[in-house]
Amino acid sequence: MLYRFPVALLHRQCYTPAMNPPPALSMRISEYVILMAMLMSLVALSIDSILPAMILIGEEFAVANANDIQYIVSFLFFGLTLGQLVSGPLSDTIGRKPVLYWGIAFFILGSLICAFSQNYTVMLAGRFLQGFGVAAPRILTVSITRDLFEGREMARMMSIIMGVFIFVPVVAPAIGQGILLIGNWHAIFAVLILWGVIGTAWAYRRLPETLPVQARRPFNVKSIGRASLEVMRHPISRGYTLCAGFVFACLIAFISTAAQIFQGYYELGERFPLFFAMGALSIGVASFTNSAIVRRFGMRAITHYALLAMLAIAVLTLVVNHLLQSDGFPLTLFMVFLVTSFFCCGLLFGNMNALAMEPMGHIAGVASAIIGTVSSLISLSIGTFIAQHYHDSPLPIVLGFAAISVISLLTQWRLRHEPLT
């Protein structure tokens, strides 16, 4: 039967037999999903809760160029990119849980540096450390899920986890805005530390080690190099890693400019979290939709049609804006574009990562790291490029979505005859 949230999430009897916990997992599927979503959401919470404060931080540190405040987001993504390259292979050597613990430790250190920073350079250094540390829970949620599930079941689990996780970005800007109403931006980092501590304690008590000793691989440059070559030589893993990087660049471009668009261009002020939440919620709805339909239609078909829809939405938005012949970019039109495009992204994220990981089950940790690192470098480069072209108009974001859709469709088209294994 089709999976529906939240009833099926809360009542185990609503799951199909395929959703019963695997032998290595002693907790209920519902608890596993929420725990994985909580750990993965550290990334989203670190990014989105600070968005309402970005302009204030820029003013406090006297950032001269308005677009330079975007580095508060991009430096965290840069640390996340490099951290994945360490966390994945190391987890294949010493196990998943020890790497999770040291990653959270780096994350807490970075949060403390940000909270007590006295200039913008120190703030960016702390954001880098936050990203480097949070790479561990980010990458391990994928590796642990791949340890326990495979094929379309893995895609389904990742969609459910992403669906639960996405509710954090929905409320994170509101949390940040609420903290600003009673305190200052420094207190936001105290909340991030608390979230990390709670998630780590829960994992310590309830999550088993999913990588048995006999399945572990030695940590050396040669083994990592061989695994990297294997990932990059496999057309499916390579192709969908590129696609994942392209699509995620859309999200980075939007997040980096969200404060400027909503608080600056549209002058929404404290209503910013509400409009941001609409887009984030759309991704969550799409993730749950994907978990219900992926078994029937398959990952490739859903990915293909979601990319086509994203391209059509961007082109239609540009045409309508041109026909309106207004002096600016109407808020209603931009929100329709954002919500529908993010729904397409929600269908793409879980499927593209699952497709890239599908042939790499025997080296899940390092493969997840390589795939995550390469896709993150692509998305960070392209997303930052698009965001830096922001100049008092959301038009570069819409154009970026259109261009990325075309590139992703062409990349996927070349993989149409490639087997998944």
Side-chain angles (χ1 to χ4, degrees):
M1 74 178 189
L2 295 181
Y3 175 87
R4 290 181 173 83
F5 180 83
V7 177
L9 182 63
L10 300 176
H11 300 286
R12 185 178 177 183
Q13 63 267 26
C14 293
Y15 283 86
T16 63
M19 291 295 288
N20 287 334
L25 190 63
S26 58
M27 67 175 70
R28 292 186 176 189
I29 289 291
S30 56
E31 182 182 358
Y32 174 78
V33 167
I34 295 172
L35 174 58
M36 291 297 100
M38 182 176 187
L39 293 173
M40 184 182 286
S41 68
L42 273 173
V43 178
L45 196 64
S46 299
I47 298 166
D48 299 332
S49 64
I50 206 70
L51 293 182
M54 284 176 60
I55 293 178
L56 293 176
I57 292 173
E59 292 173 352
E60 181 168 330
F61 291 137
V63 178
N65 188 336
N67 280 353
D68 285 350
I69 65 170
Q70 297 170 5
Y71 295 134
I72 294 175
V73 173
S74 55
F75 264 70
L76 186 139
F77 276 112
F78 183 46
L80 176 66
T81 300
L82 297 183
Q84 289 178 117
L85 197 57
V86 176
S87 299
L90 192 60
S91 74
D92 278 346
T93 301
I94 64 176
R96 312 303 190 200
K97 293 182 72 174
V99 177
L100 174 65
Y101 301 148
W102 75 257
I104 297 297
F106 270 101
F107 171 77
I108 291 174
L109 176 61
S111 299
L112 288 171
I113 291 173
C114 290
F116 294 101
S117 58
Q118 298 298 312
N119 60 66
Y120 195 52
T121 301
V122 174
M123 159 69 75
L124 295 182
R127 292 292 281 176
F128 174 85
L129 277 180
Q130 274 191 306
F132 187 83
V134 85
R138 165 65 183 85
I139 205 75
L140 290 178
T141 53
V142 179
S143 298
I144 292 170
T145 301
R146 182 60 185 86
D147 290 340
L148 298 170
F149 305 93
E150 62 183 12
R152 293 185 180 185
E153 200 61 49
M154 180 193 173
R156 190 181 186 207
M157 286 300 303
M158 286 305 300
S159 292
I160 296 170
I161 291 169
M162 288 293 293
V164 177
F165 142 82
I166 207 63
F167 283 99
V168 174
V170 169
V171 301
I175 293 173
Q177 189 69 62
I179 293 172
L180 292 177
L181 292 176
I182 60 176
N184 56 39
W185 60 263
H186 301 269
I188 296 175
F189 294 99
V191 174
L192 295 177
I193 292 172
L194 179 62
W195 190 271
V197 170
I198 293 173
T200 305
W202 187 359
Y204 176 79
R205 291 292 303 271
R206 297 289 295 156
L207 184 67
E209 175 58 61
T210 60
L211 186 67
V213 175
Q214 62 271 21
R216 297 178 187 180
R217 302 163 58 91
F219 187 90
N220 59 67
V221 176
K222 287 185 178 180
S223 64
I224 296 173
R226 284 194 298 268
S228 301
L229 286 175
E230 184 175 353
V231 171
M232 289 296 101
R233 284 175 176 171
H234 198 291
I236 290 293
S237 291
R238 180 181 65 246
Y240 281 101
T241 296
L242 293 175
C243 286
F246 297 149
V247 172
F248 199 71
C250 296
L251 193 62
I252 290 181
F254 168 70
I255 291 174
S256 298
T257 57
Q260 293 168 280
I261 292 173
F262 288 128
Q263 292 183 321
Y265 183 73
Y266 290 119
E267 299 181 346
L268 295 176
E270 294 177 359
R271 293 178 293 162
F272 161 47
L274 175 62
F275 286 84
F276 184 90
M278 293 180 189
L281 186 60
S282 181
I283 298 178
V285 172
S287 295
F288 280 113
T289 301
N290 186 69
S291 71
I293 66 175
V294 67
R295 281 181 169 178
R296 179 178 178 182
F297 298 105
M299 295 177 282
R300 281 178 157 179
I302 294 173
T303 299
H304 177 69
Y305 287 109
L307 285 171
L308 284 174
M310 194 162 77
L311 174 59
I313 291 164
V315 171
L316 184 60
T317 300
L318 292 171
V319 171
V320 171
N321 187 61
H322 176 72
L323 293 175
L324 290 175
Q325 296 182 341
S326 61
D327 294 333
F329 205 107
L331 176 59
T332 301
L333 178 62
F334 181 69
M335 289 307 302
V336 171
F337 159 78
L338 195 67
V339 169
T340 53
S341 297
F342 275 15
F343 184 86
C344 295
C345 289
L347 295 176
L348 292 168
F349 291 145
N351 286 321
M352 284 182 169
N353 279 287
L355 283 164
M357 282 290 294
E358 178 61 19
M360 299 294 145
H362 57 294
I363 51 169
V366 68
S368 181
I370 299 302
I371 290 168
T373 300
V374 173
S375 63
S376 294
L377 283 173
I378 293 169
S379 60
L380 183 60
S381 301
I382 298 175
T384 301
F385 175 80
I386 295 171
Q388 284 291 303
H389 281 77
Y390 173 82
H391 184 67
D392 292 332
S393 172
L395 187 61
I397 303 300
V398 182
L399 289 170
F401 272 62
I404 284 170
S405 301
V406 172
I407 296 171
S408 300
L409 278 167
L410 292 174
T411 304
Q412 193 201 36
W413 182 80
R414 297 186 61 185
L415 304 172
R416 66 195 184 282
H417 298 309
E418 295 288 347
L420 287 178
T421 56

